[in-house]
Structures are given as structure tokens and as C-alpha cells.
Amino acid sequence: TFTTSAAVTMDDNSTFAIFLNPTQGAAQQLIADGGFSLGSNAGVFLQVDVFDDVYLLGGTVFPIVDYPDGNAIGGHFMRPDSTPLLEGDLITLGLNEYRISYADPNFGSSAITLTVKEDIPVPALDSSVLMLLALLMLVVGFIGMRRVA
């Protein structure tokens, strides 16, 4: 973690580089008490080096920038191919897919975070639905056999 009382302004096409260690649930973090800005037009490249990677539970959050002044940061990060990483976009880093937030409400809307994507829950089928499906398959199979004969 690097903490400064000054404002941090990153120039367009510069690189913000951090380390992420999912095994320890930790990421390098910048705390910019004076505010944080990400370029003015093109954006800033986000470089995340992942160490000791493991699959994480959806919803695991890694704050990477904390800007306690609460002012909007302006600008955005970019992927290595220069496409923008906008609020809510997904980025794959190692084994996990992360959603980026530039104003995470869990941190008073003054933090940039990477949150492991939530898996979409698959609804469980209860036994009565399974029985109905099995019966339907038997009926379809029986009708098919009668047509062949």
C-alpha cells in the first residue's frame, strides 16, 4: 500500500501497475488522500500481475485505489489493447473474472475496486418437476416407437 496526502493525476496512456495475490486475499493499493484522476481523454493502462492464483468466491472485493476526498475521479483505465474499462466492465486476471467499479458504494463511493464476478445461480429442480420431465420423455419415446412400427 502506498499512501499520499497529495492528489494523484495519471497522464493519458500511462500505466497503473499493481500486484494481486488471491491466495492471501490482498492487492497493492494506492491511497490518495488528495484525490485521484485517470487521464483526460485516452485513459490509463491497468496492469495487474497475479501471484499465487486460486479460484475465488464471487463477490470477493479488492480495493486498488482509495481516494477519500470523495470527488469523482474522471477518466478510466484501459485494457492492454487500449479498449476502455468502463464502470461494471469485466476483466479476466488469472483464474478469475473481475468487475471494475470506479466508485464502489461499499467504500463510500470513493474507491476503485475489482470484484470477483458472481456466478449465476442455477435453480434447483424439485423432484416433482423431474418426475414430470421423465414422464414426458416416456410418452414422447412411446409415440416415436408407435410411428416406427
Side-chain angles (χ1 to χ4, degrees):
T1 299
F2 177 76
T3 302
T4 179
S5 59
V8 175
T9 301
M10 299 197 67
D11 293 331
D12 281 329
N13 296 308
S14 61
T15 300
F16 182 79
I18 61 167
F19 297 110
L20 182 73
N21 187 327
T23 301
Q24 294 182 359
Q28 282 183 317
Q29 182 180 10
L30 169 65
I31 299 173
D33 289 331
F36 186 72
S37 177
L38 286 168
S40 58
N41 293 312
V44 173
F45 289 100
L46 177 62
Q47 176 185 326
V48 181
D49 294 318
V50 181
F51 292 95
D52 294 332
D53 207 6
V54 294
Y55 287 104
L56 295 169
L57 291 174
T60 304
V61 180
F62 294 93
I64 59 173
V65 177
D66 186 2
Y67 50 99
D69 72 341
N71 292 326
I73 60 163
H76 59 271
F77 284 121
M78 295 184 295
R79 301 172 194 275
D81 66 359
S82 298
T83 57
L85 270 171
L86 304 176
E87 177 71 27
D89 280 355
L90 294 171
I91 182 170
T92 301
L93 302 168
L95 299 173
N96 298 285
E97 199 170 21
Y98 298 85
R99 187 171 308 282
I100 191 163
S101 175
Y102 291 94
D104 192 317
N106 297 314
F107 292 86
S109 295
S110 63
I112 301 174
T113 59
L114 296 172
T115 303
V116 177
K117 180 181 141 188
E118 296 277 352
D119 292 327
I120 299 171
V122 177
L125 296 175
D126 77 17
S127 59
S128 62
V129 173
L130 291 175
M131 291 296 289
L132 184 60
L133 287 173
L135 180 61
L136 181 62
M137 289 174 55
L138 283 171
V139 169
V140 169
F142 179 72
I143 293 172
M145 287 177 47
R146 292 191 73 205
R147 287 190 179 166
V148 172

